[in-house]
């Protein structure tokens, strides 16, 4: 059996780490360097670092900061935020990251996936799909920190990204983000069943049992933020990781 990766997601903004609830109400949770050092000690499988408002705010990549963060990491790192071209991606890889995470740029340029993959390999390109239910209860893909609906169905969008050459898909429920209510398992399973590339479940995890449920619903890996940076729901910051616990699929 393959061991399932457990991935902390860190949200970067203005040099600090923040955590949101349903992509809103960002709360400062700490310094990224210190946080990465803690995850080193706890032997996290890999980390995802997202400058989550960079595309929305039309900012560039803070290469000095993200290189500093990667330089402290003993595990594989993925970075997303304001990657708009192959040159942007190349600089991120040069900064010390093993993967790039693409989101909003894919609405206008899916060719970027193949352009990066041809040089660094498909496994180095992650497609992030942020999903929210509309007033009619239908899943729709959103971009730019969840502020703009693309009108796309997440299952069809996942298929499009796979055809474009994406190596991995991270599906994130905006409605579950920061709620500790568990993943949207229906969403995870629908996307995972539609593609052959690995699917990372994200958005809503509140405990190890949520990881297990996601794997049972076809997730290849699980990601979380709140449960890794808070003691419990509604309580203070305490960086943690389920050391010694392993998932298999």
């Amino acid at each position: 059996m393959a061991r399932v990766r457990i991935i902390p997601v860190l949200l970067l903004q203005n040099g600090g780490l923040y955590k949101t609830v349903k992509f809103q109400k960002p709360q400062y949770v700490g310094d990224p360097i210190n946080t990465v050092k803690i995850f080193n000690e706890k032997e996290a499988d890999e980390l995802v670092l997202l400058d989550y408002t960079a595309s929305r705010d039309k900012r560039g990549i803070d290469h000095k900061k993200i290189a500093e963060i990667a330089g402290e990491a003993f595990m594989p790192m993925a970075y997303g935020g304001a990657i708009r071209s192959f040159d942007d991606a190349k600089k991120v890889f040069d900064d010390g990251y093993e993967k790039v995470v693409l989101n909003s740029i894919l609405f206008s340029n899916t060719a970027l996936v193949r352009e990066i993959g041809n040089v660094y390999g498909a496994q180095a390109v992650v497609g992030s799909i942020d999903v929210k239910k509309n007033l009619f209860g239908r899943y729709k893909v959103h971009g730019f920190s969840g502020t703009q609906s693309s009108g796309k169905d997440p299952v069809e969008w996942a298929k499009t990204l796979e055809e474009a050459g994406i190596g991995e898909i991270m599906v994130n429920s905006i409605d579950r983000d920061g709620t500790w209510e568990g993943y949207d398992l229906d969403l995870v399973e629908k996307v995972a069943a539609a593609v052959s590339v690995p699917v990372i479940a994200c958005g809503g995890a509140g405990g190890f049992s949520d990881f297990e449920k996601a794997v049972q619903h076809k997730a290849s890996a699980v990601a979380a933020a709140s449960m890794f940076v808070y003691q419990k729901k509604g309580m203070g910051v305490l960086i943690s990781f389920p050391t010694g616990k392993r998932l298999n699929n």
Side-chain angles (χ1 to χ4, degrees):
M1 287 187 176
R3 187 165 66 84
V4 176
R5 291 166 294 145
I6 301 175
I7 307 168
V9 177
L10 306 178
L11 302 182
L12 183 68
Q13 186 179 36
N14 299 322
L17 294 183
Y18 288 77
K19 185 63 197 81
T20 57
V21 176
K22 298 185 178 181
F23 281 33
Q24 299 177 8
K25 302 177 181 178
Q27 179 180 358
Y28 179 75
V29 296
D31 174 74
I33 299 297
N34 291 335
T35 301
V36 167
K37 288 179 178 178
I38 293 171
F39 281 124
N40 283 337
E41 296 173 0
K42 295 180 178 295
E43 299 182 340
D45 296 319
E46 62 185 82
L47 291 179
V48 172
L49 178 69
L50 302 176
D51 191 339
Y52 70 106
T53 61
S55 292
R56 184 195 69 189
D57 297 342
K58 299 181 180 180
R59 289 185 284 107
I61 301 169
D62 187 345
H63 287 284
K64 181 179 179 181
K65 173 57 70 174
I66 71 168
E68 183 183 12
I69 294 170
E72 296 292 338
F74 297 160
M75 75 290 287
M77 294 279 290
Y79 170 81
I83 299 173
R84 303 181 180 95
S85 67
F86 176 83
D87 287 341
D88 286 339
K90 180 181 183 302
K91 290 177 182 177
V92 170
F93 288 119
D94 291 344
D95 288 335
Y97 291 79
E98 285 76 20
K99 298 179 182 180
V100 292
V101 182
L102 306 179
N103 191 318
S104 303
I105 186 62
L106 297 178
F107 299 141
S108 59
N109 185 12
T110 56
L112 181 59
V113 173
R114 192 88 55 189
E115 190 177 0
I116 298 170
N118 284 342
V119 176
Y120 295 97
Q123 82 291 335
V125 190
V126 181
S128 176
I129 303 179
D130 296 330
V131 182
K132 185 176 182 179
K133 286 183 177 180
N134 64 15
L135 294 175
F136 302 101
R138 299 190 182 97
Y139 293 121
K140 295 298 177 182
V141 178
H142 285 59
F144 303 98
S145 300
T147 60
Q148 296 182 27
S149 174
S150 68
K152 299 179 183 297
D153 173 78
V155 172
E156 295 305 315
W157 185 231
K159 291 179 181 178
T160 297
L161 296 187
E162 182 178 34
E163 291 171 1
I166 212 81
E168 194 166 28
I169 290 172
M170 182 166 70
V171 58
N172 191 3
S173 169
I174 297 174
D175 297 315
R176 298 294 182 98
D177 171 61
T179 66
W180 300 70
E181 295 174 354
Y183 298 113
D184 186 328
L185 298 174
D186 182 52
L187 172 63
V188 171
E189 186 163 26
K190 284 180 176 178
V191 172
V195 297
S196 59
V197 297
V199 170
I200 306 168
C202 189
F208 197 82
S209 63
D210 290 322
F211 295 161
E212 295 174 326
K213 291 174 184 176
V215 173
Q216 293 166 2
H217 286 75
K218 303 185 183 299
S220 299
V222 291
S226 292
M227 67 171 286
F228 292 144
V229 299
Y230 293 121
Q231 296 176 51
K232 292 181 180 179
K233 185 176 181 179
M235 296 183 68
V237 174
L238 177 65
I239 306 301
S240 63
F241 188 79
T243 305
K245 290 187 176 182
R246 291 293 178 258
L247 290 167
N248 294 299
N249 63 4

